[in-house]
Amino acid sequence: AIALNKVAAQFLSNNPHTVLIPVVQAIVGIIWVLIWCLSATFLLSQVPADYTPTTAYATYAEAYGTTDTPGACNDKWPQGQVWKDTSCEVEGDVTKCYKCYPPRYIFDVRFAISFFVFLW
């Protein structure tokens, strides 16, 4: 064991730059994780335009739903929300003011591929 330590000490004294290899690998690994996190947050925030309906609804219950039935805006996960527009649409004698806005994020195939690339 002493002879092995002696050889290792001689190698490090002749090649001191080899001590920097783990440091460089750690820095490259940290940069890789930061780039992936930036990419993942971008992919998560890309909600497709057709994910939530763009039509207006007459009542809040029709758009958001009730306690036992989901509405048009939150029928899938992650759920969108409802907002009341100030410029309502009028169809006949029905005023439709409630509209859907999409969720802030969505998990899809692109994120799954990115996650497996990260683990690779």
Side-chain angles (χ1 to χ4, degrees), residues 17-36:
H17 58 279
T18 57
V19 176
L20 297 177
I21 292 174
V23 174
V24 171
Q25 286 178 333
I27 291 171
V28 168
I30 290 169
I31 291 171
W32 170 252
V33 169
L34 291 175
I35 290 172
W36 182 83

Side-chain angles (χ1 to χ4, degrees), residues 43-54:
L43 289 174
L44 286 173
S45 69
Q46 300 300 306
V47 178
D50 61 344
Y51 188 76
T52 53
T54 57

Side-chain angles (χ1 to χ4, degrees), residues 23-108:
V23 174
V24 171
Q25 286 178 333
I27 291 171
V28 168
I30 290 169
I31 291 171
W32 170 252
V33 169
L34 291 175
I35 290 172
W36 182 83
C37 287
L38 181 66
S39 170
T41 55
F42 176 74
L43 289 174
L44 286 173
S45 69
Q46 300 300 306
V47 178
D50 61 344
Y51 188 76
T52 53
T54 57
T55 58
Y57 300 97
T59 64
Y60 184 82
E62 183 182 359
Y64 189 75
T66 59
T67 56
D68 55 348
T69 58
C73 298
N74 60 357
D75 57 346
K76 51 188 148 184
W77 187 88
Q79 298 177 349
Q81 294 295 322
V82 179
W83 61 285
K84 187 173 182 180
D85 196 359
T86 55
S87 59
C88 301
E89 298 176 11
V90 178
E91 292 181 8
D93 60 347
V94 178
T95 304
K96 297 182 175 185
C97 296
Y98 296 96
K99 295 185 176 181
C100 304
Y101 70 84
R104 303 286 182 210
Y105 63 92
I106 185 171
F107 293 100
D108 60 353

